[in-house]
Amino acid sequence: MKPRLLSLLLTVSLTLALAYYIYIPLPDAIQQPWKLMMLNAYLRTAFHVFTFGFEGILKEFLSSESSAGAVPGVKVSDITFAGIPVRVYEPPAGGEGHLRRGLMYFHGGGWAFGTTSEQMSIFKLHLNPLCVCRYRLYPDAHFPVPYLDCLAAAKHFLSPEVLAKYSIDPDRVAVAGDSAGGNLAAAVAQEISVDDSMSVKFSVQALIYPVLQALDFNTPSYLQNQYIPLLYRTNMIQFWLQYLNIDLSLMPEFFVNNHSALQHSSLTPELRSRLDWNVLLTQKYKKNYNPVIVEKGSEGFLKKVPSLLDVRAVPLLAGPEVLAKCPRAYILTCEHDVLRDDGLMYARRLQDAGVAVTSDHYEDGFHGCFSLTSWPLEFDVGKRALRSYLNWLQNNL
């Protein structure tokens, strides 16, 4: 075979292989599909790098952030709150006696990676102090360590001494987070809301496509969006198992809900009702899906892994008496996200408990879009979601 023909065949083969690797069918509602496909291919490759043992390199890259100089006029301090590493963004003071709003933010990343989503708030949060908690991550830490890190940092941030130091109005302090960070924000907000020893509590909570339960991986959104980037059903289950320190070989049990079978007496009817999507979701989101309820699953599973029923890990299981004390909420959900129903169910349960909730749903949204607002990873839905989030904080905090 002539070298030129061989080169042509090799080029065509590589092009087809690359196209096959990149292309995935996407819903018509998602704009800029090829950009999302390219980003997804990149992240899938990165995830494989993590899986094959190069997590140190990958985590350092995914956790990298802009330097302090990238935030003009804002003082950036890497310090500790109650021994927990935090980064504080402190804008210029507004004059003596002028109190500002404050925000405690927990980043997403499946409890395994750091992300740069905090930057979205830094630049546009109307010059108010922002504290980002550097909670410990997998594989160095499992539940409850990340939660306890966030809780300790939040309590320190809410102390009168720290609020006074940063000129923060104690009646205007928010907690927020995206994805796994939304899980931590919801759990921390619940705990502080019922803690009578806390003189200052969060005024509002803002949850960006939060992950809130690990007992049903067959909700309509998990099934509808199981192959939609940027968060696949498989990846989310793996993140949960890593967070709760469960053997990854048990993943097939979670796909079919064997871990939450009816035989488990510890998962009482009352607890099941707290995540019963057949009741908590409207028909618009239930569509034609049916609940996957297993009569007899893995023997003694929940006794071996009690964290699956721990509200500190699974905020959706909190009782109505706890939810009733929670601060008013903003919950952002995306139609093309496996976590859509987690957020919608939590919004419904908070509302049923008497909490004011703003439910902000994006029909063209997908998991991760909130952080994709800058060139070259710029999506219109991400910019709209970010504006809405910031406007809500501006008007409610």
Side-chain angles (χ1 to χ4, degrees):
M1 185 178 293
K2 295 182 178 181
R4 183 175 299 179
L5 179 58
L6 180 61
S7 177
L8 177 61
L9 289 175
L10 183 60
T11 300
V12 171
S13 298
L14 288 175
T15 301
L16 290 174
L18 183 62
Y20 179 79
Y21 182 73
I22 292 174
Y23 178 78
I24 51 172
L26 294 174
D28 293 339
I30 293 180
Q31 302 177 20
Q32 302 165 282
W34 277 102
K35 181 184 288 189
L36 182 57
M37 289 181 208
M38 293 289 289
L39 176 59
N40 178 62
Y42 168 77
L43 291 177
R44 274 167 41 218
T45 303
F47 194 78
H48 291 321
V49 169
F50 179 85
T51 302
F52 290 132
F54 298 97
E55 63 267 17
I57 299 173
L58 179 60
K59 287 175 70 171
E60 183 172 343
F61 175 77
L62 290 179
S63 301
S64 62
E65 299 175 29
S66 304
S67 66
V71 189
V74 175
K75 178 183 177 182
V76 183
S77 305
D78 288 318
I79 58 177
T80 60
F81 280 1
I84 308 303
V86 298
R87 175 166 289 184
V88 178
Y89 296 84
E90 186 180 1
E96 187 174 351
H98 177 75
L99 294 180
R100 301 171 294 187
R101 292 165 290 186
L103 173 67
M104 168 67 75
Y105 197 91
F106 303 132
H107 66 74
W111 306 285
F113 308 109
T115 72
T116 57
S117 56
E118 68 193 62
Q119 298 291 340
M120 302 302 101
S121 295
I122 295 164
F123 289 108
K124 299 182 180 179
L125 195 57
H126 310 287
L127 296 180
N128 293 282
L130 168 69
C131 175
V132 181
C133 179
R134 304 296 195 200
Y135 58 91
R136 284 169 284 182
L137 301 169
Y138 173 87
D140 301 320
H142 305 279
F143 175 81
V145 172
Y147 164 80
L148 294 175
D149 283 355
C150 292
L151 181 62
K155 286 186 173 182
H156 187 86
F157 185 57
L158 290 171
S159 67
E161 297 78 14
V162 172
L163 295 179
K165 176 182 177 181
Y166 295 109
S167 300
I168 297 175
D169 185 340
D171 293 324
R172 305 177 76 187
V173 191
V175 63
D178 63 289
S179 194
N183 167 285
L184 295 165
V188 167
Q190 288 179 6
E191 176 61 27
I192 289 178
S193 294
V194 298
D195 187 346
D196 293 334
S197 70
M198 296 293 295
S199 60
V200 179
K201 302 187 179 187
F202 289 114
S203 310
V204 301
Q205 56 180 321
L207 312 178
I208 312 302
Y209 31 67
V211 49
L212 300 168
Q213 61 87 25
L215 291 169
D216 188 355
F217 292 108
N218 289 275
T219 65
S221 63
Y222 263 111
L223 297 178
Q224 172 186 298
N225 302 307
Q226 59 184 313
Y227 303 119
I228 303 297
L230 295 169
L231 181 63
Y232 292 108
R233 180 175 177 235
T234 301
N235 297 143
M236 191 62 250
I237 295 176
Q238 179 173 337
F239 285 141
W240 266 116
L241 268 59
Q242 292 172 171
Y243 182 46
L244 300 181
N245 200 19
I246 301 172
D247 190 333
L248 293 180
S249 67
L250 296 175
M251 188 178 292
E253 304 287 331
F254 287 77
F255 270 103
V256 294
N257 284 356
N258 275 347
H259 65 301
S260 56
L262 292 176
Q263 75 184 65
H264 300 304
S265 59
S266 54
L267 187 52
T268 64
E270 169 60 26
L271 287 178
R272 290 181 186 277
S273 70
R274 297 175 185 177
L275 45 79
D276 183 356
W277 60 260
N278 207 30
V279 173
L280 296 171
L281 296 181
T282 64
Q283 187 59 46
K284 174 183 177 181
Y285 300 111
K286 290 190 292 186
K287 300 179 180 177
N288 294 320
Y289 293 97
N290 295 310
V292 175
I293 301 174
V294 179
E295 290 285 340
K296 190 173 183 179
S298 306
E299 187 77 27
F301 199 99
L302 293 179
K303 291 182 179 179
K304 297 176 184 177
V305 192
S307 52
L308 283 166
L309 299 181
D310 192 323
V311 295
R312 299 175 302 169
V314 188
L316 189 57
L317 287 181
E321 71 284 355
V322 173
L323 298 183
K325 295 183 178 181
C326 287
R328 62 187 183 279
Y330 168 89
I331 300 179
L332 185 151
T333 55
C334 295
E335 178 62 25
H336 307 291
D337 180 5
V338 294
L339 300 180
R340 179 198 70 191
D341 296 343
D342 283 25
L344 293 175
M345 287 191 287
Y346 196 54
R348 169 69 182 276
R349 292 208 58 224
L350 284 170
Q351 289 172 329
D352 288 348
V355 177
V357 179
T358 297
S359 186
D360 194 13
H361 184 71
Y362 290 84
E363 292 291 342
D364 57 341
F366 54 89
H367 194 86
C369 67
F370 177 76
S371 301
L372 302 175
T373 62
S374 301
W375 189 89
L377 302 178
E378 180 181 7
F379 288 81
D380 177 68
V381 64
K383 292 191 292 184
R384 284 186 280 114
L386 175 61
R387 282 196 302 268
S388 179
Y389 159 77
L390 293 173
N391 289 338
W392 187 88
L393 285 177
Q394 172 75 4
N395 295 328
N396 290 273
L397 181 58

